[in-house]
Amino acid sequence: MPDYSIIIQNISKSYGQVKALTDVSFQVEHSEIFGLIGPDGAGKTTLFRILTSLLIPDSGVATVEGFDVVKSYKQIRQITGYMPGRFSLYYDLTVEENLNFFATIFGTTIEENYHLIRDIYVQIEPFKKRRAGNLSGGMKQKLALSCALIHKPKVLVLDEPTTGVDAVSRKEFWEMLAKLKEQDITIIVSTPYMDEASLCDHVALIQKGKIMTIDTPAKIIEAYPDPLYKVSGPNMFNLLNQLRNFPKAKSAHRFGDSIHVAMKGDFGQAEIEDFTKEKGHEEIQVKPVNATIEDSFMALMNTNNDK
Amino acid sequence: MKQFLGFIKKEFYHIFRDPRTLLVLFGIPVAQLLIFGYVVTTEVKNISVAILDRSKDDVTREITQKIIESDYFTLTQNLQSDTQIEEVFKTGNIKEVIVFEPNFAQKLGRDGTAQIQLIADASDANTANLIVNYTSAIISDYVQKQNKLQLMPMQIKPEVRMVFNESLQSVYMFVPGTMALILMLVSAMMTSISIAREKELGTMEVLLVSPLKPAQIIIGKVIPYVALAFINAVTIIVLGNLIFGMPVNGSLTLLLAESLLFISLALSLGILISTIAKTQQVAMFISLFALMLPTIMLSGFIFPIENMPVVLQMISHIMPPKYFIIIIKNIMIKGTGFGFVWKETLVLIAMMMVFILLSVKKFKIRLQ
């Protein structure tokens, strides 16, 4: 049995009548990237606030590096680096002053842990005299990550770090996370972007405060139950609506510039081609396709809703 | 300790980089002192009067002369008839009309009595009262001087002395009051806003997750403002002295120590406000309405507490500025020592303890 970095057992949390988390349990291994994937309002931020000792769960137990999040909050605050969803650095302080401040309050210096943040910080270092409020989204995010890392935390909690960040910066950001993993830092990260799931070692798909599945991204895709086809053509809008009402299809959803159609039972490519021809579509391309995390998420969501 | 110093340094960055904060901290105290100094005044100067002299003899001319010479009044108009009186009041500039009855000197010589009518514009009641008192004083002064020449059967003459403020200068009233108001506002409002700002921007979340202790966060927030509010207190004392001639008759050290106590009290109140307020705006409104108005109205700054309805008098007892104003008036004007203000000092210390206890209890180490 591996020694876990984060253990969450049967955590529930409500805000008044609203149930934010229902009976959530999972473990995160040492120095892995664990992704919490789910749409807005799924309960990701609440769970992270419990892990960082900012909130107390209604029931259940959670430990970070062996410390209980309720009783040992002081120790937890020493060993975790937290990057909240909103940009929460000081706008009126310069890049360098922000970093210095966070280094100081964690009782360290920039020099001491410079090696940890070097790869990230060199990109914003040319702007170190600039006020944080004047940085672009991508640079703000890099600065926030540097600040969360400067005290060499054992666990890094990142709440939607790539939301509102351009595609290039998102890619760079994940490359940085991969490097940090090598430094023996456990990273738990939340994101609404399904395509980022494949970059995690393990992912938990969460919806409406409930964990739907936890596994490696590959296994989640493997577990996708139905034959899946990629359909594309000129009149996508009508096509999607019609495919959604196609009795032989289980589900259809937009996926980039095409439509992913999951078929029932033994139905396949031929049935889709017949159906589209019948509806008067031309130049329709139908190809079998491998499922992605997003497809799995949709499928799980549908089965959960059906229950 | 290094963590703590780093935190204080950050607070100073916030203060010195925000022009609005700087304005509130340094511009407003000076402006307020000057405004109160020149506006809140109970003295009468250069009041426009009109005279309706129906007699035009030596005596009336002499009295008129006395009144004009007095510095308090300026003769703006000589009226010819009764009908003009209402007219001049309506134009607004004239605050008082002095009417001498016909054959003034003659009557005075023959009967020993003659009448002067003082008509004042009482749309501003306080000023009207003052003007009439000043005028009466000048006239009785004249009468007394005349009486010395003759023998009168009996005379009672009260000799009034206004102790501690011989010339009834209003600075004695407004400098202590303004000081209480400014220290209260700057300290309580600025701390509560600066803590609320951290909550609003989400940085409080990061601070809470850091190893900083709540006490360090609070004290770190407060210390810069203690220093700045103290500079304010000194500025007010110096400006009050240089520009308005406000004395410091008692011990300056005691005065500064009491100011420091009051500043700390106001800051602890600010922290308490910030534990309730979630946004900067709420913090500001609470500070303004809960602190500024009561400080002006109920602390005895402008309106005497003794004249208030009993309910408001009771409320005034829980107003910290009331005690501070009593203390600094004692020290600055009467020149008394600690022996005379220890009770008020104790009250302030007790209030501060209560506020600190409440804020520590209410300050959350978590988000909820």
Side-chain angles (χ1 to χ4, degrees):
Chain A
M1 188 181 139
D3 181 18
Y4 291 112
S5 170
I6 299 172
I7 301 170
I8 296 172
Q9 284 172 328
N10 310 101
I11 291 277
S12 295
K13 173 81 188 171
S14 312
Y15 300 106
Q17 293 294 313
V18 184
K19 289 200 122 189
L21 292 173
T22 314
D23 203 23
V24 170
S25 303
F26 62 83
Q27 295 88 29
V28 179
E29 283 167 29
H30 281 285
S31 41
E32 73 163 336
I33 300 180
F34 188 95
L36 198 58
I37 319 270
D40 289 344
K44 303 187 298 281
T45 300
T46 304
L47 184 60
F48 281 5
R49 284 182 171 166
I50 289 173
L51 284 181
T52 49
S53 78
L54 284 171
L55 289 177
I56 298 177
D58 296 338
S59 62
V61 189
T63 59
V64 176
E65 294 290 330
F67 296 115
D68 185 274
V69 291
V70 179
K71 285 182 221 126
S72 314
Y73 70 91
K74 281 184 183 153
Q75 284 87 340
I76 290 200
R77 291 173 185 194
Q78 296 275 0
I79 57 161
T80 40
Y82 175 43
M83 193 172 144
R86 265 185 312 167
F87 174 69
S88 42
L89 299 171
Y90 296 99
Y91 285 89
D92 50 348
L93 263 53
T94 64
V95 169
E96 199 178 21
E97 284 161 355
N98 263 301
L99 194 58
N100 239 325
F101 171 68
F102 285 101
T104 315
I105 61 170
F106 278 94
T108 178
T109 58
I110 298 182
E111 291 74 32
E112 204 175 313
N113 290 318
Y114 189 75
H115 64 278
L116 265 177
I117 58 162
R118 189 180 49 224
D119 289 343
I120 311 158
Y121 192 59
V122 283
Q123 301 177 43
I124 46 174
E125 209 159 17
F127 312 102
K128 66 181 181 184
K129 297 281 177 220
R130 194 184 282 190
R131 303 239 171 125
N134 298 333
L135 292 176
S136 71
M139 287 201 282
K140 275 180 188 166
Q141 171 220 38
K142 280 167 197 155
L143 175 59
L145 182 64
S146 304
C147 289
L149 270 175
I150 191 65
H151 62 288
K152 197 174 193 325
K154 286 188 180 147
V155 178
L156 194 56
V157 180
L158 309 173
D159 193 3
E160 300 203 4
T162 52
T163 302
V165 174
D166 64 273
V168 179
S169 297
R170 270 171 61 189
K171 192 167 162 286
E172 283 174 1
F173 191 81
W174 279 94
E175 283 163 10
M176 287 178 230
L177 293 190
K179 278 186 196 162
L180 286 174
K181 196 177 83 165
E182 308 297 313
Q183 307 261 10
D184 285 332
I185 296 176
T186 306
I187 300 168
I188 176 162
V189 55
S190 72
T191 177
Y193 300 119
M194 307 285 168
D195 55 325
E196 290 178 347
S198 57
L199 304 163
C200 303
D201 297 312
H202 282 94
V203 291
L205 302 185
I206 181 169
Q207 207 222 353
K208 291 181 184 161
K210 286 181 191 150
I211 301 279
M212 298 191 296
T213 186
I214 302 167
D215 218 322
T216 61
K219 284 198 177 140
I220 288 180
I221 291 168
E222 221 171 83
Y224 189 79
D226 310 302
L228 193 68
Y229 297 92
K230 179 182 169 183
V231 182
S232 56
N235 193 349
M236 296 289 281
F237 182 74
N238 281 341
L239 188 61
L240 180 63
N241 281 337
Q242 285 155 356
L243 283 170
R244 277 192 177 151
N245 295 320
F246 183 25
K248 290 174 186 166
K250 202 170 184 182
S251 70
H253 63 266
R254 191 80 191 239
F255 196 92
D257 56 357
S258 59
I259 298 169
H260 277 194
V261 183
M263 297 300 285
K264 284 180 184 162
D266 299 328
F267 300 122
Q269 194 162 349
E271 280 81 1
I272 298 176
E273 277 165 355
D274 292 346
F275 177 75
T276 50
K277 233 171 252 163
E278 193 181 300
K279 291 282 173 190
H281 289 279
E282 282 165 18
E283 293 170 49
I284 295 289
Q285 293 177 331
V286 183
K287 269 186 232 158
V289 71
N290 286 331
T292 64
I293 293 282
E294 189 168 349
D295 296 309
S296 305
F297 193 91
M298 293 294 194
L300 285 165
M301 216 169 80
N302 288 338
T303 42
N304 272 17
N305 286 348
D306 292 345
K307 268 182 207 165
Chain B
M1 197 58 205
K2 237 188 114 198
Q3 289 164 277
F4 185 57
L5 290 179
F7 192 86
I8 292 176
K9 196 169 136 199
K10 185 211 74 166
E11 284 308 312
F12 274 110
Y13 281 141
H14 288 323
I15 294 168
F16 288 114
R17 286 191 185 164
D18 184 13
R20 274 177 303 174
T21 309
L22 279 182
L23 188 73
V24 173
L25 271 177
F26 296 107
I28 290 189
V30 174
Q32 248 173 356
L33 186 70
L34 294 180
I35 291 170
F36 275 115
Y38 287 115
V39 174
V40 181
T41 168
T42 49
E43 295 153 46
V44 185
K45 255 181 210 155
N46 300 324
I47 296 287
S48 299
V49 294
I51 287 179
L52 172 55
D53 192 346
R54 293 213 186 90
S55 183
K56 296 203 171 78
D57 53 44
D58 292 346
V59 181
T60 58
R61 263 193 285 273
E62 221 170 309
I63 294 175
T64 308
Q65 197 57 36
K66 286 263 177 236
I67 290 172
I68 298 165
E69 275 171 4
S70 71
D71 228 28
Y72 302 122
F73 301 103
T74 320
L75 177 61
T76 323
Q77 213 176 338
N78 269 306
L79 306 183
Q80 303 307 324
S81 71
D82 278 349
T83 47
Q84 281 177 290
I85 296 175
E86 209 185 317
E87 215 174 287
V88 291
F89 275 129
K90 278 185 178 159
T91 60
N93 289 330
I94 305 238
K95 297 289 175 209
E96 187 187 43
V97 175
I98 302 165
V99 185
F100 294 98
E101 66 172 332
N103 309 319
F104 192 86
Q106 242 179 333
K107 277 191 184 168
L108 195 66
R110 198 181 54 211
D111 310 336
T113 160
Q115 288 190 350
I116 301 177
Q117 192 182 16
L118 302 181
I119 308 170
D121 175 0
S123 50
D124 179 355
N126 287 333
T127 316
N129 233 330
L130 276 170
I131 297 172
V132 171
N133 283 342
Y134 274 66
T135 322
S136 310
I138 293 168
I139 295 168
S140 14
D141 192 52
Y142 172 80
V143 172
Q144 263 162 24
K145 275 180 192 150
Q146 295 300 308
N147 283 348
K148 273 185 195 154
L149 307 172
Q150 314 165 10
L151 270 174
M152 287 297 282
M154 195 169 38
Q155 224 183 57
I156 297 174
K157 187 182 167 202
E159 193 165 292
V160 182
R161 223 192 118 202
M162 297 293 189
V163 258
F164 301 126
N165 190 359
E166 300 277 354
S167 50
L168 287 180
Q169 285 187 54
S170 46
V171 273
Y172 286 55
M173 187 178 90
F174 83 80
V175 170
T178 318
M179 192 152 146
L181 179 66
I182 291 172
L183 295 186
M184 191 72 171
L185 227 93
V186 165
S187 316
M189 191 163 87
M190 297 315 284
T191 34
S192 62
I193 287 182
S194 94
I195 295 181
R197 178 166 56 194
E198 302 251 7
K199 286 193 198 171
E200 210 178 307
L201 293 180
T203 42
M204 192 52 109
E205 218 171 313
V206 186
L207 288 183
L208 285 176
V209 175
S210 79
L212 279 178
K213 294 184 187 74
Q216 286 178 315
I217 297 178
I218 291 181
I219 298 171
K221 280 271 165 204
V222 160
I223 281 186
Y225 292 102
V226 172
L228 295 171
F230 192 71
I231 294 174
N232 269 330
V234 175
T235 315
I236 295 168
I237 295 172
V238 170
L239 278 184
N241 189 285
L242 292 183
I243 301 182
F244 300 111
M246 178 77 191
V248 181
N249 290 327
S251 147
L252 186 64
T253 326
L254 180 61
L255 180 63
L256 293 179
E258 295 281 1
S259 305
L260 206 58
L261 170 65
F262 185 67
I263 291 169
S264 318
L265 174 120
L267 289 170
S268 54
L269 196 57
I271 296 167
L272 188 62
I273 291 174
S274 71
T275 57
I276 306 164
K278 279 210 170 83
T279 64
Q280 296 180 65
Q281 251 183 358
V282 176
M284 198 167 90
F285 275 118
I286 298 181
S287 308
L288 278 180
F289 286 109
L291 301 181
M292 192 169 153
L293 285 178
T295 306
I296 295 178
M297 301 298 189
L298 298 176
S299 64
F301 169 13
I302 295 180
F303 307 107
I305 294 172
E306 292 76 10
N307 296 354
M308 292 174 195
V310 184
V311 183
L312 289 181
Q313 282 195 32
M314 309 258 267
I315 298 176
S316 82
H317 290 321
I318 55 165
M319 293 293 149
K322 176 192 151 180
Y323 299 96
F324 182 61
I325 290 177
I326 294 175
I327 292 172
I328 55 175
K329 271 189 176 166
N330 262 303
I331 299 172
M332 292 175 96
I333 302 168
K334 296 187 189 167
T336 49
F338 186 66
F340 291 86
V341 293
W342 66 271
K343 268 190 255 167
E344 284 79 10
T345 311
L346 271 186
V347 172
L348 288 184
I349 293 176
M351 285 180 165
M352 183 173 75
M353 298 306 242
V354 171
F355 289 142
I356 291 179
L357 264 176
L358 277 177
S359 357
V360 168
K361 246 190 144 167
K362 291 208 73 150
F363 188 85
K364 295 165 192 107
I365 52 164
R366 297 171 206 275
L367 281 180
Q368 259 191 337

